[in-house]
Amino acid sequence: MIKIIVESSHDATLIEDAVDNWPVRIVNDVERLPGDDDVECLILGSRARNLARWVGPLGKIKRDWAGVPIIVVTDSEPEVALQLSGIKVSAVVWFEDLQSELGPAIRAARGVDHILRLAGEIEESTLPPSLRSALAHGLRVATDRPIRRVRKLASVVGSSPVTLSQQFRESVGGRTTLARFLRALVILRGHQLRSSGLGWDRVAGELRVSRQTLHRQSKEWPGRRLGPLAAMSRGQLLARFVSDFVRPLLADRTD
């Protein structure tokens, strides 16, 4: 699903016609942006004269939809670069180039793993430097072999496990812990392996944990046994991960 945030029905039609065959949903009021789990890309269509007023809302959208690529469609005007300097987006496409450029921009944005985009957004945040480095590293390696222990993560980035744990807890306002964050990454990777066709015993072996451990950790987060966990879509699980772990980390810390 691609969500298109626009200021006019005319621009909505222009963008929708250039989106190829992806399913889309038009949103006219950003305050009512629906919280679906299957959003693969967000497109903001705004004329250059109105773009400055979107900088603040775009920052909130990036926090609320962490890891989801954002493409801005606007006019080819000199002031655009300055207006967007305070917020990083996946791509900027000019209205006059929609038909030729929007499709490739969407494909390029969707080609980057959601977890890797989260790592990049963590690195761009104002979290404490040691925590920022540790979380970005943990996210990146979680696309293959997640780090399961805080002590191990701390040793890799040359920090103290106590310091990292304290900084994490303070950054999320005590809502969760770094150890739970790492266990959730194990579940995300396990779910991905299971979705590729592996059985749970094989998945556990790939993650170097027992099936019983995987079952226990899945009941802890996201609160499901392995069977119901496998029935979740990746989009649903990623949205839950962002809501429970990433959004609290980024809240009020990014532009």
Side-chain angles (χ1 to χ4, degrees), residues 6-252:
V6 288
E7 299 166 330
S8 73
S9 58
H10 173 71
D11 288 346
T13 299
L14 290 176
I15 296 172
E16 189 172 9
D17 287 346
V19 167
D20 293 339
N21 296 318
W22 284 293
V24 302
R25 179 176 297 177
I26 306 297
V27 180
N28 299 114
D29 184 355
V30 70
E31 296 299 325
R32 297 182 180 179
L33 189 61
D36 303 280
D37 297 327
D38 59 350
V39 178
E40 298 177 273
C41 185
L42 289 165
I43 299 175
L44 168 65
S46 173
R47 294 296 169 172
R49 62 181 178 273
N50 300 324
L51 196 56
R53 75 178 184 86
W54 281 101
V55 173
L58 271 176
K60 183 178 186 303
I61 290 170
K62 279 180 68 71
R63 291 192 294 272
D64 291 346
W65 296 82
V68 174
I70 298 174
I71 296 173
V72 172
V73 178
T74 189
D75 304 302
S76 177
E77 300 289 348
E79 66 268 22
V80 167
L82 179 61
Q83 291 169 333
L84 288 176
S85 62
I87 190 89
K88 184 175 181 180
V89 296
S90 296
V92 178
V93 175
W94 309 132
F95 272 108
E96 54 263 43
D97 298 330
L98 270 178
Q99 291 298 326
S100 61
E101 299 296 331
L102 185 57
I106 293 172
R107 285 190 288 274
R110 291 175 69 247
V112 179
D113 187 279
H114 195 119
I115 295 295
L116 296 180
R117 286 196 297 265
L118 289 176
E121 292 180 18
I122 289 290
E123 283 185 324
E124 295 163 11
S125 75
T126 56
L127 290 166
S130 58
L131 180 63
R132 195 165 61 221
S133 297
L135 295 180
H137 178 79
L139 284 161
R140 287 197 171 95
V141 299
T143 60
D144 180 26
R145 186 66 57 78
I147 293 176
R148 297 182 288 115
R149 298 283 185 268
V150 174
R151 186 175 300 277
K152 170 67 174 177
L153 178 64
S155 68
V156 170
V157 298
S159 187
S160 158
V162 174
T163 298
L164 288 182
S165 294
Q166 289 176 340
Q167 289 178 341
F168 186 94
R169 181 174 283 276
E170 290 170 1
S171 297
V172 298
R175 289 178 56 177
T176 187
T177 67
L178 180 55
R180 290 173 182 163
F181 174 90
L182 293 180
R183 290 196 291 271
L185 287 177
V186 172
I187 294 301
L188 275 173
R189 178 57 175 154
H191 178 271
Q192 186 179 39
L193 290 170
R194 180 68 181 85
S195 298
S196 73
L198 299 184
W200 282 118
D201 287 335
R202 178 74 180 279
V203 169
E206 290 288 327
L207 295 173
R208 297 180 181 175
V209 298
S210 68
R211 177 168 175 158
Q212 291 76 13
T213 296
L214 203 59
H215 178 76
R216 184 177 67 253
Q217 291 181 354
S218 180
K219 287 179 66 177
E220 175 187 305
W221 186 89
R224 301 191 179 198
R225 297 174 181 271
L226 293 180
L229 174 68
M232 294 181 72
S233 72
R234 181 161 174 80
Q236 288 174 322
L237 196 59
L238 283 167
R240 178 72 180 274
F241 180 78
V242 168
S243 175
D244 292 348
F245 296 100
V246 182
R247 195 177 299 161
L249 282 165
L250 297 180
D252 299 323

